[in-house]
C-alpha cells in the first residue's frame, strides 16, 4: 500500500493490529469495542473543543474576546467547565418524579451515541454497515424527543413543561421536512445505506466532484436539511425552548451539575451527528473536493467538513435573531414541507430526464420559481418594514 | 423575502469576526486588570478632603461647618468639631474637624456634599479599586485617610482645580483690597485725629503706620 | 439455551412483558405511557433479532417517535395528568380477565397451528430494496389507500384546528394598516 492509502486506513490497521492479540473467536467483538471506544473518545473531545470555539467565535463576532484566562487562548476552558459541573450540588426538586428525572438525560445521551454507529467517518470506517442505516439514524433521533418530554414533565415546573411542549412540537414539525429532504439523496442513490450514498458521490468529472450539493435538487435538499437540522437540535435561531431570556432554561430548568452537563453534551453531540449526516448525504462524506487532493486522508476530509459545518452553525447563531414559536411552525409547515415535496418531484424528474444540460435547466428553473412564488405568497398578508413609532405629544 | 436579509446579516457578522483580528475598532475589549482605560475628567467615585500646601493638618480647608453632613442623603458623613482653634493656611484661627468619617459603603457618590461646601474643602476622588476583606472597618475612611493635597486635586480634575484656585485667588484678592481700603481709611482717620498735636511726629510715624496697616490686611480671612 | 429459546429472546420478551404489565398496573398515567414506550422498544428489538431491519427501525420511528409522543400529549392536554389517590379497578374485572385469556388462547392456537412440521426453516433474506419492490408492484393498492387515508387525516386535523372565521374587521384595525 502506498503511504497515502496507509495513512488513510491507519485507524483500521490499528484496529486489526490490536484485535490480533486476541483469540480468533473474540476478534470481531474486540474490533467493534475498539470502534465504540474511538467514537466515545473522539466526539466528546470535539464537543469540548466546540464549546470553547463557540464562545470565542461568538465573542469575536460580537466585538469582544471570548474566554482567554484558562490555558493559552482559553483552550483549557472545557476542563474548568467540566470540573465545575462535576462539583456542583445535584438538586432534585422535592415534588419531582425522581426516577424519570434521573432517566431523562441518560436516555438522551444513549440515544445520541447510538446515532454515531452508522456515520461513515472515512473509507471503510463505519461502525456498522447496515442496510437501512439512514432509517436507523432517523428512528433513534425520534427517540430523543421523548427524553426532552421526560425532562420537562418530571420537573413539575410550569416553565419546564411549557419549554418541553414547545421543544417537542418544534422537533416533530421539523422532522417531516428533515426526512423528506434526505429522501432525495436516497432516491438517486437507490439505497438507504450511508456507505453506499457516500460511495455514489465519490466520482469526479474532470476535477469537479459528484457531490449531490452541486445539483439543483441536491442544493435545495441540503439547504432544507440544514434548516431542519438546526431546528431538530434546538440550535439558534430555533432555540426558543431553551432560550434564557424566554423561558428560564426551558426544559432543563431544574437540572443542575452533571445532569445539566449531560444535556449539554447530548445537544452538541446531536448537532455533530446531524451535521455529519448532512455531510454524508449531500457533501460527499469523506470525499475530497478536487481529485488532485485525494492524497489527504479521507477521515481528515470528513473532520474538516465537520468543523466547517460547526463553524457555520456558530456563525448562524451569532447572526440570527430567535424565531418565535408561531413563526417557527409556520415556516415548517407552510414553506419547508411544500418545498421538500417539490424537491422530491424534481429529483424524480432529474432521474428520468436522462443526461444532458436540459435536466439542469428544467430542475433549476422549477425550484427557483417555486421558491420565489412561495416566498411571495407567504409574505403577502404581512406588513413588514421599518417600524414606525407614534409618541404621545 | 427571498432571504437576502439573512445573507446581509451573515456578511456583517463575518466582517466583525475577521476584522476583530486585525483592527482595533472591531475588538473593543480592554483586558482589565492588565490594561486600564484612563478615566475621563468628570469621573467621580468617593469624596476626599483638600488641603493646601504640604502639611495636611495646617492646610486643611475644611472648617467643620457641618453643611455637608446635614445635606448628605444617606447620612454617610460624621463630623466632630474641635474644641480649639488652629491657624489655617493663611494664618487665621479656625476650628477644624476633630473627626471626619465617611462610610463609603453607604456613600452613593451623588456629589451633593461637593456642591454645598462653601469652602471648596471636599471634592470627588476617582479611585474605585477599594475592595477590602474587612467588611466594616475597612470601608470607613477617617480624616487622615481622606485628606489629599491640592496637587492631587489638580492631577485628577485639572480644569476644575484650576477654576477653584482662580476663584479662591479672586476672593482673596477682593478681601485683600477690602482690607487695604479699610486699613487706609483707618490710617487716614488716625492721621487726621493726630494731625494737629504732633505733625512732625506724624511725618515720622505715618510711613511706619502705613506698612503696619498694609501688613495687617493680608492676615484678614480671604473670602469670609 | 433455556427452554429451547435463546437468552437474547428471553431477556427481550421479559422486558416487553414487564413494560406491558407496568403500563396496565401503574397509578401515574405518564408512567404508564413511558412503560408502554418500553414495550414498543422491546418489540422493536424482537423484530431486529428476527433479522427484520426495516420493520424494527420503522417500529422505533413510528411507535416510539410518534405514537408515544401522541399518547403523552393527549395525557397532558387533558386532565389525566393528576395522580389519583387510590387504584381504580373496574367492578367487572373478572369478565375482562376472562376475555383476555380467551384471546390469548386463540392467538396461541393460531400460532402453533401455523408452524411448519420441520423446525429447520431458514428465514427469507429480506432487504429494503425487496420491500420497496413489493410495495410498488404487489401491494401498490394498499399503499395508495394508506396514502389517501393519511391525507384525509391531515386535512381533517387542519379543519378541526382551524380558527373560526372572524367577524368583519373593525374600522380601528382598518385604519391602522
Amino acid at each position: 500500500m502506498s503511504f497515502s492509502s496507509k495513512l488513510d486506513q491507519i485507524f483500521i490497521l490499528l484496529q486489526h493490529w490490536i484485535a490480533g492479540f486476541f483469540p480468533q473467536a473474540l476478534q470481531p467483538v474486540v474490533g467493534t469495542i475498539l470502534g465504540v471506544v474511538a467514537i466515545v473518545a473522539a466526539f466528546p473531545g470535539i464537543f469540548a473543543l466546540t464549546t470553547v470555539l463557540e464562545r470565542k467565535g461568538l465573542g469575536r463576532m460580537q466585538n469582544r474576546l471570548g474566554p482567554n484566562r484558562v490555558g493559552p487562548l482559553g483552550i483549557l476552558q472545557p476542563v474548568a467547565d467540566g470540573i465545575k459541573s462535576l462539583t456542583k450540588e445535584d438538586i432534585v426538586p422535592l415534588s419531582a418524579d425522581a426516577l424519570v428525572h434521573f432517566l431523562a438525560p441518560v436516555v438522551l445521551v444513549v440515544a445520541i451515541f447510538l446515532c454515531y454507529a452508522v456515520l461513515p467517518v472515512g473509507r471503510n470506517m463505519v461502525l456498522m454497515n447496515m442496510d437501512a442505516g439512514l432509517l436507523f439514524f432517523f428512528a433513534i433521533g425520534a427517540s430523543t424527543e421523548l427524553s426532552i418530554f421526560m425532562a420537562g414533565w418530571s420537573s413539575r415546573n410550569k416553565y419546564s413543561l411549557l419549554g418541553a411542549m414547545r421543544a417537542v412540537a418544534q422537533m416533530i414539525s421539523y422532522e417531516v421536512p428533515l426526512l423528506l429532504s434526505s429522501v432525495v439523496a436516497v432516491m438517486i442513490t437507490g439505497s438507504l445505506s450511508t456507505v453506499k450514498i457516500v460511495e455514489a458521490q465519490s466520482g469526479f468529472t474532470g476535477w469537479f466532484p459528484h457531490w449531490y450539493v452541486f445539483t439543483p435538487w441536491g442544493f435545495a435538499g441540503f439547504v432544507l436539511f440544514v434548516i431542519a437540522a438546526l431546528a431538530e437540535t434546538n440550535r439558534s435561531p430555533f432555540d426558543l425552548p431553551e432560550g434564557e431570556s424566554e423561558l428560564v432554561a426551558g426544559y432543563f430548568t431544574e437540572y443542575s451539575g452533571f445532569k445539566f452537563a449531560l444535556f449539554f453534551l447530548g445537544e452538541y453531540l446531536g448537532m455533530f451527528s446531524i451535521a455529519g449526516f448532512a455531510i454524508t448525504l449531500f457533501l460527499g462524506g469523506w470525499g475530497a473536493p478536487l481529485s488532485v487532493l485525494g492524497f489527504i486522508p479521507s477521515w481528515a476530509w470528513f473532520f474538516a467538513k465537520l468543523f466547517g459545518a460547526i463553524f457555520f452553525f456558530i456563525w448562524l447563531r451569532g447572526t440570527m435573531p430567535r424565531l418565535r414559536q408561531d413563526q417557527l411552525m409556520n415556516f415548517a409547515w407552510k414553506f419547508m414541507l411544500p418545498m421538500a415535496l417539490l424537491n422530491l418531484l424534481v429529483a424524480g424528474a432529474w432521474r428520468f430526464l436522462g443526461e444532458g444540460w436540459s435536466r439542469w435547466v428544467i430542475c433549476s428553473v422549477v425550484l427557483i420559481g417555486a421558491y420565489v412564488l412561495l416566498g411571495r405568497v407567504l409574505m403577502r398578508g404581512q406588513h413588514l418594514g421599518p417600524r414606525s413609532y407614534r409618541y404621545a405629544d | 423575502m427571498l432571504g437576502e436579509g439573512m445573507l446581509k446579516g451573515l456578511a456583517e457578522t463575518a466582517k466583525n469576526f475577521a476584522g476583530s483580528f486585525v483592527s482595533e475598532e472591531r475588538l473593543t475589549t480592554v483586558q482589565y486588570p492588565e490594561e486600564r482605560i484612563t478615566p475621563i475628567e468628570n469621573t467621580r467615585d468617593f469624596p476626599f478632603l483638600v488641603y493646601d500646601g504640604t502639611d495636611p493638618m495646617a492646610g486643611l480647608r475644611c472648617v467643620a461647618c457641618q453643611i455637608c453632613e446635614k445635606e448628605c442623603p444617606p447620612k454617610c458623613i460624621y463630623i466632630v468639631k474641635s474644641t480649639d482653634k488652629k491657624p489655617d493656611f493663611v494664618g487665621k484661627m479656625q476650628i477644624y474637624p476633630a473627626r471626619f468619617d465617611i462610610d463609603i459603603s453607604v456613600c452613593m457618590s451623588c456629589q451633593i456634599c461637593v456642591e454645598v461646601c462653601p469652602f471648596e474643602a471636599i471634592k470627588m476622588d476617582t479611585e474605585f479599586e477599594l475592595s477590602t476583606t474587612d467588611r466594616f472597618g475597612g470601608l470607613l475612611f477617617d480624616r487622615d485617610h481622606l485628606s489629599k493635597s491640592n496637587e492631587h486635586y489638580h492631577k485628577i480634575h485639572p480644569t476644575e482645580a484650576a477654576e477653584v484656585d482662580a476663584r479662591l485667588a479672586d476672593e482673596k484678592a477682593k478681601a485683600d483690597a477690602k482690607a487695604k481700603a479699610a486699613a487706609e481709611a483707618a490710617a487716614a482717620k488716625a492721621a487726621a485725629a493726630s494731625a494737629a498735636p504732633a505733625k512732625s511726629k506724624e511725618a515720622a510715624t505715618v510711613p511706619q503706620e502705613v506698612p503696619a496697616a498694609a501688613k495687617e490686611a493680608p492676615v484678614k480671612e480671604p473670602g469670609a | 439455551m433455556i427452554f429451547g429459546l435463546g437468552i437474547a429472546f428471553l431477556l427481550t420478551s421479559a422486558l416487553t412483558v414487564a413494560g406491558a404489565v407496568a403500563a396496565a398496573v401503574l397509578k401515574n398515567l405518564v408512567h404508564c405511557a413511558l412503560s408502554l414506550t418500553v414495550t414498543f422498544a422491546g418489540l422493536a428489538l424482537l423484530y431486529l433479532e428476527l433479522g427484520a431491519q426495516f420493520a424494527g427501525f420503522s417500529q422505533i420511528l413510528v411507535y416510539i417517535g410518534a405514537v408515544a409522543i401522541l399518547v403523552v400529549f393527549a395525557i397532558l392536554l387533558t386532565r389525566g395528568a393528576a395522580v389519583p389517590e387510590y387504584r381504580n379497578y373496574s367492578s367487572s374485572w373478572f369478565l375482562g380477565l376472562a376475555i383476555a385469556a380467551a384471546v390469548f388462547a386463540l392467538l396461541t392456537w393460531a400460532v402453533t397451528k401455523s408452524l411448519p412440521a420441520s423446525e429447520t426453516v431458514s428465514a427469507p433474506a429480506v432487504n429494503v430494496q425487496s420491500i420497496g419492490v413489493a410495495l410498488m408492484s404487489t401491494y401498490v393498492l394498499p399503499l395508495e389507500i394508506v396514502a389517501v387515508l393519511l391525507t384525509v387525516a391531515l386535512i381533517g386535523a387542519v379543519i378541526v384546528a382551524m380558527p373560526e372565521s372572524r367577524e368583519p374587521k373593525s374600522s380601528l384595525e382598518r385604519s391602522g394598516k
Side-chain angles (χ1 to χ4, degrees), chain A residues 60-61 63 68-69 319 371, chain B residues 2 13 16 20 31 34:
Chain A
R60 289 212 174 244
M61 284 182 213
N63 297 32
N68 62 350
R69 296 279 151 176
T319 310
Y371 174 56
Chain B
L2 292 178
T13 347
N16 264 353
S20 73
Q31 298 205 55
E34 286 98 24

Side-chain angles (χ1 to χ4, degrees), chain A residues 177-189:
Chain A
L178 186 77
L179 273 119
L180 283 176
S181 54
S182 68
V183 163
V184 281
V186 172
M187 262 170 67
I188 301 291
T189 313

Side-chain angles (χ1 to χ4, degrees), chain A residues 14 40 69 164 278 297 331 341 359:
Chain A
L14 197 64
V40 172
R69 296 279 151 176
F331 189 58
L341 290 171
R359 66 176 180 175

Side-chain angles (χ1 to χ4, degrees), chain B residues 75-124:
Chain B
K75 299 273 182 284
C76 66
I77 303 182
Y78 179 68
I79 299 177
V80 172
K81 289 189 196 237
S82 64
T83 44
D84 61 329
K85 292 193 179 203
K86 69 154 177 66
D88 68 355
F89 184 51
V90 292
K92 180 160 174 196
M93 298 306 276
Q94 291 283 2
I95 60 170
Y96 60 92
R99 280 188 73 144
F100 194 111
D101 293 339
I102 295 185
D103 188 353
I104 61 169
S105 66
V106 176
C107 172
M108 59 185 201
S109 309
C110 61
Q111 217 176 260
I112 288 182
C113 52
V114 172
E115 288 169 18
V116 300
C117 178
F119 300 96
E120 319 283 351
I122 187 168
K123 296 291 173 192
M124 290 311 264

Side-chain angles (χ1 to χ4, degrees), chain A residues 31-45:
Chain A
T32 315
I33 290 179
L34 284 172
V36 170
V37 165
I39 289 179
V40 172
F43 283 98

